[in-house]
């Protein structure tokens, strides 16, 4: 095992070593078992706090659900945020054709769910988590969830025939995307997460057709404050992916923040035991407060 691979494995082990943290409440935004959102109240007891929407990663694949990111959600709640940890439908457990692992994503259900969850959240938190100030909402996501966070903030730029398109920009304070799969062409070239991008869009036959509906670099400029946080040592979603998105944003006339962390791989960004997690919380705070 190479030094980079060994470090990455240790980081992943640390991030997944924390016990799951149960939410204060769970709400539904649809009838499917995966159409649920876990809510965490700010641990400082504040009567009003910014709302952080968390979209978990896991290459849009079924084995990875929101459970692994609950320690991160709790970490943010302990930093004074109200937190909504969103679940959504992911790929099948059946291996993709020619592949060894489960399929990444479900088209169109993965996108249906993220859109529906974000649309439903303001009313849900008013009813169940009144401490959450939906007027101060920041969306964050890790890896595949980082992609979904960027996509959720860009729905007003989707093609006119997209069912998820909105008439105007989302009412968000900003987006903090963590090691996001932010440029599908670059991710495909680098074979990020073993072909996950192609699988999400249904394979080679539908990849080009669906790309304008799903690829964050095709949905710029958003007009919403956006920061990417990326470990320079990330071998799961290499920094070239985030850099390509930031470059595309600049060409579209939008400044996107890009925080590159030395000696950090993929998982410390959501690991409460890692210094990188505190950096993430500070980036969120700068947009939310």
């Amino acid at each position: 095992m190479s030094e980079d691979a060994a470090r990455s494995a240790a980081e992943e082990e640390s991030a997944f070593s924390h016990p799951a943290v149960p939410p204060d409440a769970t709400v539904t935004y649809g009838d499917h078992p995966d159409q649920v959102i876990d809510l965490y109240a700010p641990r400082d007891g504040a009567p009003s706090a910014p709302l952080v929407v968390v979209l978990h990663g896991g290459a849009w694949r079924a084995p990875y659900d929101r459970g692994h990111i609950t320690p991160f959600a709790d970490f943010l709640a302990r930093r004074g945020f109200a937190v909504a940890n969103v679940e959504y439908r992911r790929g099948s457990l059946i291996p993709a054709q020619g592949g060894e692992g489960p399929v990444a994503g479900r088209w169109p259900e993965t996108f249906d769910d993220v859109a529906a969850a974000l649309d439903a959240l303001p009313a849900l938190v008013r009813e169940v988590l009144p401490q959450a100030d939906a007027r101060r909402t920041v969306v964050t996501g890790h890896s595949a969830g980082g992609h979904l966070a960027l996509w959720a903030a860009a729905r007003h730029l989707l093609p006119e025939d997209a069912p998820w398109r909105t008439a105007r920009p989302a009412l968000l304070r900003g987006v903090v995307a963590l090691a996001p799969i932010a440029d599908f062409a670059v991710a495909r070239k680098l074979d990020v997460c073993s072909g996950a991008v192609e699988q999400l869009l249904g394979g080679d036959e539908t990849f080009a057709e669906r790309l304008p509906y799903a690829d964050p670099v095709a949905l710029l400029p958003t007009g919403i404050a956006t920061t990417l946080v990326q470990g320079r040592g990330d071998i799961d979603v290499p920094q070239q992916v985030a850099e390509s998105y930031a470059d595309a944003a600049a060409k579209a006339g939008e400044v996107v923040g890009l925080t590159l962390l030395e000696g950090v791989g993929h998982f410390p960004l959501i690991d409460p035991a890692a210094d990188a997690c505190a950096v993430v919380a500070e980036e969120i705070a700068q947009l939310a407060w």
Side-chain angles (χ1 to χ4, degrees):
M1 182 182 291
S2 70
E3 183 177 340
D4 286 344
R7 186 207 66 246
S8 179
E11 290 175 341
E12 182 174 359
E13 181 179 5
S14 176
F16 282 79
S17 68
H18 308 287
V21 180
D24 296 302
T26 298
V27 294
T28 63
Y29 63 91
D31 296 329
H32 191 276
D34 284 335
Q35 292 176 320
V36 295
I37 306 170
D38 288 340
L39 300 177
Y40 296 78
R43 301 305 186 214
D44 60 4
S48 179
L51 175 65
V52 180
V53 181
V54 175
L55 294 161
H56 71 81
W60 310 285
R61 291 185 171 121
Y64 302 96
D65 64 15
R66 70 192 186 283
H68 77 271
I69 209 167
T70 61
F72 174 70
D74 177 66
F75 177 85
L76 294 177
R78 288 187 280 113
R79 290 293 184 113
F81 299 106
V83 182
N85 186 15
V86 177
E87 190 58 276
Y88 52 89
R89 283 174 283 182
R90 304 168 308 288
S92 166
L93 287 170
I94 301 171
Q97 184 175 6
E100 298 179 355
V103 177
R106 290 171 60 171
W107 184 280
E109 290 89 350
T110 298
F111 296 91
D112 289 344
D113 287 358
V114 172
L118 270 292
D119 290 346
L121 255 177
L124 290 172
V125 296
R126 276 198 302 271
E127 180 180 352
V128 180
L129 191 67
Q131 305 97 312
D133 184 355
R135 298 168 300 178
R136 294 183 287 161
T137 297
V138 174
V139 178
T140 189
H142 178 242
S143 195
H147 156 261
L148 294 172
L150 295 171
W151 180 85
R155 289 167 57 200
H156 59 292
L157 300 176
L158 286 167
E160 291 190 2
D161 63 341
W164 316 293
R165 181 183 168 94
T166 57
R168 56 187 61 85
L171 297 176
L172 301 174
R173 284 286 179 92
V175 175
V176 179
L178 314 176
I181 304 178
D183 183 321
F184 279 12
V186 175
R188 192 184 195 193
K189 181 179 179 181
L190 297 174
D191 194 29
V192 166
C193 299
S194 302
V197 166
E198 296 99 312
Q199 293 171 23
L200 176 69
L201 299 190
D204 289 339
E205 292 184 0
T206 53
F207 185 84
E209 172 191 339
R210 292 174 175 176
L211 199 63
Y213 297 83
D215 189 0
V217 297
L219 303 171
L220 287 165
T222 67
I224 294 172
T226 300
T227 296
L228 312 184
V229 183
Q230 176 75 44
R232 287 189 180 273
D234 193 333
I235 62 175
D236 294 284
V237 184
Q239 73 179 66
Q240 297 99 298
V241 182
E243 289 175 334
S244 182
Y245 178 86
D247 289 344
K251 290 175 183 176
E254 188 163 71
V255 176
V256 167
L258 177 57
T259 299
L260 296 172
L261 303 179
E262 296 289 346
V264 171
H266 192 61
F267 290 98
L269 304 178
I270 59 166
D271 182 357
D275 292 342
C277 200
V279 174
V280 169
E282 181 57 33
E283 295 285 0
I284 293 171
Q286 288 183 19
L287 295 178
W289 293 102

